[in-house]
Amino acid sequence: MQNLTRMVPWIIGRLVSSIIQGKKMIIYLDIKVEELTIMPPEEAETIFTLLLDADRLGNHMIVISRTTCDWAIENLSLSGQNSNHLNRLKADFSTRGNIRKYSKCHISVVFGESEIYLEGSGFSIGHKKFISSEFSTYKTRMIVENIENDSGLYNFMFSVAIKQTNIPGTAVDFVSGGGSTTCAVFENEIKKNRIAICIVDTDKNSPCDKLGSTAKKVLNLHNKRNIEQNNSYTPYIGTATTTIGQEIENYIPFNAVKQISCYNLPPELELIVKQNTSADAENCFWLFFDLKNGVSGTKILDKIDQGLKQRSVGQWIASRLGCSYQDLKYKNINGVGKNIIEKFLSTKEAQNEYIEFSKTEYWRSAFLAQFESLLWYLAATMPVRT
């Protein structure tokens, strides 16, 4: 009986996932029936239409209580499609309502004119602001630096990661940040009142290295809006983060790259790179290795001498390469090559290797928390086909 009790949360989570599995942010209608009765009818109909369209089209996942569904069915003039869909949401509430227990991020639409504000693990917004926004009409916007390759790799990695979470499914629109303009593109999506998440490369050569300029700008924008208090910046619905290592290419494991026949990996990497346990993930050289250009000890030391990098960066690289700081100048490891992401996405053997990699302690320790955090912003149901 105790074992069964411990399994209940897992069983419910998998049940929810299996029932509403799909390919978005979870939005709860938290307006009481007595509040709906005093709302102008056109506003109530607009709120329900926006939410039902979002769920029916697969843009987001909507949760509405049975009592509220009953009120809307009786009092509102909705389209035939949305009336039918409202009945589906009412019937699904026993499973959809449970997802709130596991949700790491969601939007609560409340009665009134309140602006966006942070509320626990999610966001709250007044219904008037919600009506005038584009939060429900667009899928979550994910700003990446290079949409041509990054979007394909993130889609693949998300499809693998979601199987280890209670997230029902995802939907996302990728937006190209264009490298140095990423922060401006991110802010533009925020100003348009859309759910926006942004992930940028750290451009770090070691865990102790400084963030690159683009990452600094993006995180500063996020902090001013959603972290720091007592300033004039308004919160936004979304988040910003950086890659775990130097850049997105470093998410592709060493053994997967070995499966891509056109690349000859430097033999030194076989001795340096270990990606199995959580301990391996703590100081992994591969995460900060420049796959395209490799690492030059001389260039690293020159940047340290110029004050562009801290001495600790050179010390960390030397420790990973098994040499003294003074001997780092003699170390040079060639890069693997260009177009890593493109080659990975066209090589089934490499993708299979990644799937096996996702079962390791290393992967769970290094990547799972970040993937799960991002995926909750993309949570959605499958679109209804009529």
Side-chain angles (χ1 to χ4, degrees), residues 360-377:
T360 64
E361 291 181 12
Y362 177 106
W363 184 90
R364 288 190 289 270
S365 175
F367 302 116
L368 182 56
Q370 183 185 63
F371 283 138
E372 184 171 15
S373 175
L374 292 173
L375 283 166
W376 279 114
Y377 283 92

Side-chain angles (χ1 to χ4, degrees), residues 96-249:
R96 290 188 181 225
N98 280 322
I99 202 76
R100 193 165 194 166
K101 299 176 184 177
Y102 308 101
S103 170
K104 301 292 179 64
C105 185
H106 60 267
I107 300 173
S108 292
V109 180
V110 299
F111 179 74
E113 302 184 16
S114 59
E115 296 289 319
I116 300 165
Y117 62 91
L118 304 175
E119 183 181 57
S121 61
F123 305 86
S124 182
I125 181 174
H127 79 277
K128 289 182 179 292
K129 175 72 174 180
F130 187 81
I131 287 174
S132 65
S133 75
E134 296 184 351
F135 296 128
S136 64
T137 52
Y138 282 85
K139 298 175 185 176
T140 296
R141 312 282 279 180
M142 182 169 174
I143 297 89
V144 294
E145 294 191 64
N146 184 340
I147 193 171
E148 185 175 356
N149 289 322
D150 293 5
S151 59
L153 182 55
Y154 278 120
N155 267 331
F156 172 80
M157 294 191 297
F158 286 161
S159 71
V160 174
I162 198 170
K163 296 173 184 176
Q164 299 193 38
T165 73
N166 286 321
I167 297 161
T170 61
V172 59
D173 281 333
F174 287 96
V175 179
S176 180
S180 61
T181 61
T182 298
C183 188
V185 173
F186 182 34
E187 187 163 26
N188 186 53
E189 292 296 324
I190 292 172
K191 289 179 177 178
K192 290 178 179 177
N193 287 316
R194 298 169 180 170
I195 302 167
I197 64 176
C198 183
I199 182 164
V200 288
D201 296 339
T202 65
D203 295 328
K204 293 164 64 172
N205 292 120
S206 77
C208 52
D209 201 358
K210 295 178 181 178
L211 289 171
S213 59
T214 297
K216 287 179 181 177
K217 289 178 182 177
V218 167
L219 293 185
N220 184 52
L221 171 63
H222 171 72
N223 290 339
K224 285 192 297 186
R225 286 184 173 271
N226 283 12
I227 303 297
E228 299 171 3
Q229 298 180 353
N230 302 319
N231 59 37
S232 59
Y233 293 91
T234 57
Y236 74 102
I237 297 178
T239 192
T241 189
T242 64
T243 53
I244 299 297
Q246 182 177 134
E247 54 189 357
I248 185 177
E249 284 83 353

Side-chain angles (χ1 to χ4, degrees), residues 264-300:
N264 293 314
L265 277 73
E268 302 98 318
L269 293 176
E270 289 280 2
L271 302 174
I272 299 169
V273 178
K274 294 185 176 67
Q275 293 186 299
N276 296 305
T277 68
S278 56
D280 294 337
E282 292 177 3
N283 273 299
C284 181
F285 180 76
W286 182 257
L287 283 180
F288 297 93
F289 179 65
D290 187 332
L291 272 68
K292 182 171 67 175
N293 300 311
V295 60
S296 166
T298 300
K299 291 181 179 179
I300 293 292

